Amino acid sequence: MVADLAGCLFQLNEIDADVGKLLSGLTENQFHWSPTASSWSIAQCVVHLDIIGNRYLHHLDETIERAHAENLESWGPFHYGFLERWIVHATEPPPRIRLRTPASARPPDDRLLAGVAENFRLLQDELRKRIRGSNGLDLARAKVTSPFVKSLRMGLGPCFAFLLAHERRHLWQAWRVRRHEAFPPA
């Protein structure tokens, strides 16, 4: 497996472990608590990741299929554009740039902990499949169109890196909720 994708799988495993720790021992009340009316709860942070990730799956599938059909193959090394690298960097926590969440990606706060945890696990498995399915493709030239900003196209490699950075960003946000001084006791 090419190094870029092996690194993505490693990061995915780290994120899975972090989510396990984050959700461990939470009550439903704690899962849905937020410090202010305008802040997201842990539930909303994780549900948002599920919404974003699932919206990208179809676009990843289209890109992988098109790259195979067009024989966009390479084993690297890959050279990603400045904008792609900047987007990934800017998405990493702590947030340096805050953008308004599109209405279609705003998370509800009515999902039960067990269901959210299972949906997130399934999403991670689906991302793993796409990462493995991209091995041998040109991760710079095979472009994914954003499901939210149609004019934004990123190579497969930077797109995977963006999705993982986005997960870390909202897990960082969720950990801030869990560590808040007013976080309710179990």
Side-chain angles (χ1 to χ4, degrees), residues 19-85:
V19 168
K21 290 176 197 164
L22 173 69
L23 301 181
S24 178
L26 286 181
T27 65
E28 288 293 335
N29 182 50
Q30 291 171 321
F31 187 55
H32 294 282
W33 181 85
S34 65
T36 67
S38 62
S39 300
W40 283 1
S41 65
I42 294 170
Q44 288 173 298
C45 291
V46 180
V47 169
H48 172 71
L49 294 177
D50 193 53
I51 292 168
I52 297 295
N54 278 297
R55 290 281 300 276
Y56 265 91
L57 291 177
H58 173 71
H59 294 265
L60 291 167
D61 289 340
E62 285 180 343
T63 301
I64 292 167
E65 184 178 321
R66 188 174 54 251
H68 281 295
E70 295 174 7
N71 293 317
L72 292 178
E73 298 171 349
S74 177
W75 293 96
F78 302 103
H79 302 285
Y80 305 125
F82 170 79
L83 182 61
E84 293 169 317
R85 293 188 322 268

